[in-house]
Amino acid sequence: TRDGGPQAQQARSYRSAAAEYSSATRPPSGPRELREPFKTVAQLSGTAARRVNTAVDGVASSPYYKNTVSAVVSAEKRAERIARPYLQPLDPYVATAKPFVLPAATVALAVAAPPICIVCAIIAFFTSPFWLTVGFFTAFIWVPVVCFLSAVGAVLGLVFALRVGSSKRAQESIRPVWNFIAGSSLGQAVFYCARA
């Protein structure tokens, strides 16, 4: 199609929302400029959101990603087609039990969590001489692994937050809250420079 399809439209939506996010330096009541460091944070977060969205859109439009997604979807459909004759007789029972699953799971978790935590704490206390010794002598292995995994998790979390936060839907949800805060006298005093 001429407009590039739904994926291209979504990419343009993300980029336009990121541009709005980076330019949100004026309150609804008038042309006042954000004071530092809020202005720098807004500009940096807008730039980061645009770059993250561009990178994610590039990955999503790559042939490798498309082939992987299509392979996963076809495998899911094939597994569902194979399992459907065996699972279909259970559908009435599943539909009947579905409303009770979440409350039952919540009650079971609330009842089971305290004794499980107590048992784990007792086991950890009595076995602490062993696992503390092993942990000390193997720290050169697991400490770098934990640091690396923590860094990867932080980067992925930041990318996810920027991707979701710069979407059109998130901006539509955040903007009324921001307008309310920025429109108040306290918000004007905290976030914006005094009028000349």
Side-chain angles (χ1 to χ4, degrees):
T1 58
R2 185 178 299 176
D3 60 355
Q7 199 170 35
Q9 290 177 353
Q10 186 181 19
R12 285 195 294 272
S13 171
Y14 276 118
R15 282 195 284 271
S16 65
E20 290 179 13
Y21 181 68
S22 64
S23 64
T25 58
R26 300 185 188 280
S29 59
R32 294 179 63 185
E33 192 173 356
L34 279 172
R35 52 170 94 237
E36 296 292 345
F38 305 112
K39 182 178 179 181
T40 303
V41 170
Q43 291 172 346
L44 289 177
S45 57
T47 303
R50 281 195 303 274
R51 290 184 178 177
V52 165
N53 288 326
T54 302
V56 172
D57 293 336
V59 171
S61 61
S62 66
Y64 176 76
Y65 177 82
K66 292 180 179 178
N67 294 336
T68 304
V69 170
S70 62
V72 171
V73 170
S74 63
E76 288 179 352
K77 289 181 178 178
R78 187 165 54 250
E80 183 180 357
R81 191 170 55 250
I82 293 171
R84 191 66 189 159
Y86 304 101
L87 298 177
Q88 195 165 7
L90 301 175
D91 284 349
Y93 304 104
V94 172
T96 304
K98 196 171 184 179
F100 306 102
V101 170
L102 184 59
T106 305
V107 171
L109 183 63
V111 171
I116 290 175
C117 291
I118 291 172
V119 169
C120 291
I122 292 172
I123 292 172
F125 176 75
F126 285 108
T127 59
S128 59
F130 171 75
W131 58 261
L132 283 175
T133 305
V134 172
F136 177 76
F137 285 109
T138 59
F140 68 96
I141 296 174
W142 62 264
V143 169
V145 171
V146 169
C147 293
F148 174 75
L149 292 178
S150 301
V152 170
V155 170
L156 292 178
L158 180 62
V159 168
F160 178 78
L162 288 172
R163 181 74 172 174
V164 173
S166 62
S167 66
K168 200 80 171 176
R169 183 179 301 176
Q171 289 297 307
E172 290 173 356
S173 302
I174 294 170
R175 190 163 296 280
V177 178
W178 168 249
N179 288 340
F180 174 76
I181 295 173
S184 65
S185 57
L186 180 62
Q188 297 256 343
V190 171
F191 293 107
Y192 289 97
C193 300
R195 293 185 186 276

